[in-house]
Amino acid sequence: RTSALQRQPDSRRPRAKDESHQLLLTEPHWTPCRCSTKPDWAPCPPYTMRGLINYGAHCSINSVVQVLCGTHELRDLIWLVDEHHHRSPNTVAVRLKRLIYDMTKGNMSPCDPSLLVYAMAFYRGAPFDGQEDSDVVFKCIINALADDCGISNKIGRLWDIENEDRMRCLHCNTVQSTLNKSNMITVLIGNNLPTELQDYIKLYTDNTFTTCDYHCTHCHTGTQIEITSKVVTLPQVVCIRIERVRNIGRDTTDIVKTGTRFAFPEKLDLKYIMKDPEAPVATVYKLYTVVAHRGTHYCGYYTAYVRDDDIWYLADDSHVRVCSWEDVKSTYEAGSITIPLPLIIFIKRHFQESQVHNKCCFFRQSS
């Protein structure tokens, strides 16, 4: 029996939507997931979100797509993607554009993400037969967009964070600086680390550690180095990954998911991680999506909380309902594996009223 990847249609040959959909239905494991059907999931007005069909173990993909659809900065650019660009190396941008277009229609029925899943599998060279971590799914989509050309490349770099790593040799005090980019901030959970996100960000000012077995190219000795990392520029939207997985032994079976309580506010100030905290840039961000996971590291289920027009929604595959900020805060608590715990949160730059007024005045003067 051929694999799903081998049956992936050639991206250079246009395939009708009905033909691709029929191809999905012929595979036995492509059956809608029914693990989240609940009688109380009737949509509540005002209703502006649509669910996504789960073909097996794609709850993490569905949750990330809901996050991307809830990112207005992405939606403003995705409409500009040229669906007939002959130099496009993959079809992820086109499939994502069509899916988000369907999700923003005034229809309450769930959308079919299967063609986007196929495009992602074709891009990474492996099918999505099992459940993937949400951060892996997010990076797959973002990297596919960044590797594309035209407007897709700009979309893929919406989350780019520029960091400066300074390495100081403890033997000769020589300092070397390097610039690198990442698309998320990782927050570690430990016994001696804060359990409040804002407190953790403040602790970032002391984000310095040493490492052994380093050969300094200046003094030509084996010594230790001191590494300090600071953020140079922040994007309009920021992804923060909460690292809840740790290895308590030497085997893969010793990987566990920690259930330590971790809280995050609706507004977050990131000036403490900046290289220049006093720089005249907006560093206050507002929470707009949370990807949560319930279960163990090896088996679980993903859902997404999305804020749209100051209304919180809970997206659980094909089911979407209105929820509250109190429901989002319920993910703080540790305890049973049936309680969803946040793994990724997304924040966007929040402008104060005075900043918005100054921008409007600037545009009036410019015109």
Side-chain angles (χ1 to χ4, degrees):
R1 187 182 65 164
T2 58
S3 65
L5 179 62
Q6 292 172 328
R7 289 195 306 276
Q8 168 67 27
D10 188 352
S11 60
R12 296 169 297 180
R13 179 176 66 88
R15 179 182 290 274
K17 182 177 180 180
D18 294 340
E19 183 182 354
S20 300
H21 184 66
Q22 184 65 31
L23 179 64
L24 290 174
L25 296 179
T26 59
E27 176 61 33
H29 75 271
W30 289 97
T31 54
C33 176
R34 302 182 183 276
C35 58
S36 62
T37 52
K38 304 178 181 65
D40 59 337
W41 274 83
C44 304
Y47 185 81
T48 60
M49 288 183 61
R50 293 179 65 179
L52 295 169
I53 301 172
N54 187 347
Y55 287 102
H58 294 162
C59 55
S60 60
I61 298 178
N62 290 347
S63 298
V64 172
V65 170
Q66 291 286 7
V67 168
L68 298 180
C69 186
T71 305
H72 293 270
E73 291 78 5
L74 181 144
R75 288 214 316 246
D76 292 341
L77 294 175
I78 198 72
W79 311 130
L80 305 178
V81 171
D82 185 1
E83 300 188 20
H84 306 287
H85 202 294
H86 66 281
R87 295 182 58 189
S88 180
N90 62 76
T91 61
V92 173
V94 174
R95 297 304 182 190
L96 181 62
K97 173 184 178 180
R98 294 179 181 177
L99 180 58
I100 290 181
Y101 174 77
D102 291 339
M103 294 172 66
T104 53
K105 287 182 179 179
N107 193 329
M108 296 171 59
S109 60
C111 300
D112 186 357
S114 55
L115 294 181
L116 173 63
V117 176
Y118 263 135
M120 293 167 57
F122 186 79
Y123 167 75
R124 75 168 189 169
F128 288 89
D129 288 338
Q131 185 183 95
E132 293 284 356
D133 294 338
S134 55
D135 59 320
V136 175
V137 174
F138 173 72
K139 287 185 176 181
C140 178
I141 297 178
I142 297 305
N143 290 339
L145 295 174
D147 290 342
D148 208 336
C149 50
I151 197 67
S152 301
N153 178 273
K154 184 177 180 180
I155 298 173
R157 303 194 180 281
L158 278 175
W159 285 266
D160 275 2
I161 303 170
E162 188 175 24
N163 303 284
E164 181 187 62
D165 294 333
R166 300 180 74 253
M167 298 172 287
R168 182 176 69 89
C169 175
L170 298 185
H171 183 264
C172 64
N173 286 329
T174 302
V175 177
Q176 298 179 2
S177 298
T178 59
L179 293 176
N180 59 78
K181 291 185 178 181
S182 61
N183 49 28
M184 64 176 58
I185 298 174
T186 300
V187 174
L188 303 178
I189 295 180
N191 296 328
N192 300 320
L193 295 175
T195 57
E196 302 279 342
L197 182 56
Q198 187 64 80
D199 294 338
Y200 186 97
I201 294 298
K202 291 180 180 179
L203 186 67
Y204 197 97
T205 55
D206 299 324
N207 189 18
T208 301
F209 58 94
T210 58
T211 181
C212 301
D213 301 328
Y214 175 76
H215 182 79
C216 180
T217 57
H218 186 265
C219 62
H220 301 288
T221 59
T223 179
Q224 291 183 328
I225 58 172
E226 181 184 76
I227 303 177
T228 304
S229 179
K230 288 292 182 180
V231 174
V232 179
T233 58
L234 283 169
Q236 186 77 9
V237 286
V238 175
C239 171
I240 300 179
R241 180 173 69 97
I242 303 174
E243 183 58 83
R244 289 193 172 274
V245 177
R246 60 189 181 96
N247 197 334
I248 60 175
R250 296 185 176 181
D251 196 84
T252 55
T253 58
D254 297 324
I255 299 177
V256 297
K257 173 187 170 185
T258 60
T260 306
R261 183 186 188 275
F262 194 82
F264 45 86
E266 284 192 277
K267 292 183 180 179
L268 187 68
D269 194 349
L270 298 182
K271 68 179 180 180
Y272 305 98
I273 68 175
M274 299 293 294
K275 179 182 178 181
D276 183 8
E278 303 302 325
V281 294
T283 59
V284 177
Y285 284 73
K286 188 175 182 180
L287 179 74
Y288 74 98
T289 54
V290 176
V291 176
H293 179 269
R294 64 175 180 265
T296 66
H297 171 63
Y298 301 98
C299 180
Y301 193 75
Y302 285 92
T303 53
Y305 296 86
V306 181
R307 186 210 297 264
D308 185 60
D309 292 333
D310 286 331
I311 299 175
W312 280 101
Y313 296 88
L314 173 57
D316 187 346
D317 285 335
S318 58
H319 307 285
V320 177
R321 69 176 176 89
V322 176
C323 64
S324 65
W325 170 238
E326 296 300 320
D327 294 326
V328 179
K329 291 196 296 183
S330 67
T331 62
Y332 291 173
E333 302 300 331
S336 172
I337 61 174
T338 60
I339 299 177
L341 297 175
L343 292 186
I344 304 180
I345 67 174
F346 293 80
I347 54 179
K348 62 177 60 179
R349 184 169 283 132
H350 176 68
F351 292 100
Q352 305 293 338
E353 291 185 4
S354 58
Q355 293 174 314
V356 175
H357 175 72
N358 292 337
K359 290 177 65 178
C360 293
C361 293
F362 171 78
F363 285 122
R364 286 197 203 100
Q365 294 173 1
S366 301
S367 58

